[in-house]
Amino acid sequence: STGQSIAWGGDGKGIYYTRVEMVRNSNLYNDIYYYDLEQGKEIRLTRHLRARDAAPSPDGTKLVFVINRLGKTRLAMLPIMQKSIVKERDINWLGEDSANQFETPRFSPDGQRIAVGVRQHDGCKDIWILDSQGNKIEELMHDRAIDGGAVWSTDGNSLYFSSDRSGIFNIYTYDLASKQIF
């Protein structure tokens, strides 16, 4: 695995992860794979898309992930119809190509929101909340701390994330109602 994250499948029977492949001895491509724990089998889901950081929706019907092209990133979603290589036409694009560098998108427990790490052009690395179509709802912080790896609490009321805001990396909680960090 070479991506920043590994995500359990919604049914707990497998994991999604990223692998890097060298193509024509010079091009590196990230692609998303699924490992079926019951069958002990690796299944490739994308080919040469520079796709990474996949995570399934809570109901197990969709997969959100990041595509990187020409120095820009874009969030994408695809239906999890079967475990086989998807065609680009099957991808639902969330927003446009962006100079912001997206990472580790994660669905909320109800599947209506997505938390995503964002490195912005001003150097800030923060966490945003998007709706299920990729539209920004809220920027949770905008500071010099390096924040990322956000995951939702089971009730969807807060996010757990990693940050160096104290000078060293620790795990924090962001309460969405009070907008407080603990």
Side-chain angles (χ1 to χ4, degrees), residues 7-11 16 32 34 45 53-65 76-83 86 90-94 105-114 131-134:
W8 282 101
D11 58 8
Y16 294 93
I32 298 168
Y34 176 80
L45 299 179
D53 296 342
S57 60
D59 64 5
T61 63
K62 297 175 282 212
L63 197 66
V64 66
F65 57 97
M77 196 177 318
L78 60 89
I80 303 175
M81 300 170 283
Q82 58 188 26
K83 301 291 191 288
V86 297
D90 298 324
I91 295 173
N92 177 26
W93 299 103
L94 305 180
R106 294 292 181 266
F107 281 102
S108 61
D110 64 4
Q112 298 302 306
R113 296 169 291 167
I114 300 168
D131 66 18
S132 61
Q133 301 303 307

Side-chain angles (χ1 to χ4, degrees), residues 103-123:
E103 66 179 27
T104 61
R106 294 292 181 266
F107 281 102
S108 61
D110 64 4
Q112 298 302 306
R113 296 169 291 167
I114 300 168
V116 64
V118 182
R119 182 176 300 276
Q120 299 177 68
H121 62 86
D122 63 3

Side-chain angles (χ1 to χ4, degrees), residues 6-33:
I6 294 175
W8 282 101
D11 58 8
K13 295 179 180 178
I15 55 173
Y16 294 93
Y17 56 96
T18 305
R19 282 186 56 191
V20 172
E21 176 185 26
M22 184 171 287
V23 177
R24 292 185 290 281
N25 295 323
S26 61
N27 297 316
L28 294 176
Y29 287 88
N30 288 331
D31 277 301
I32 298 168
Y33 286 74

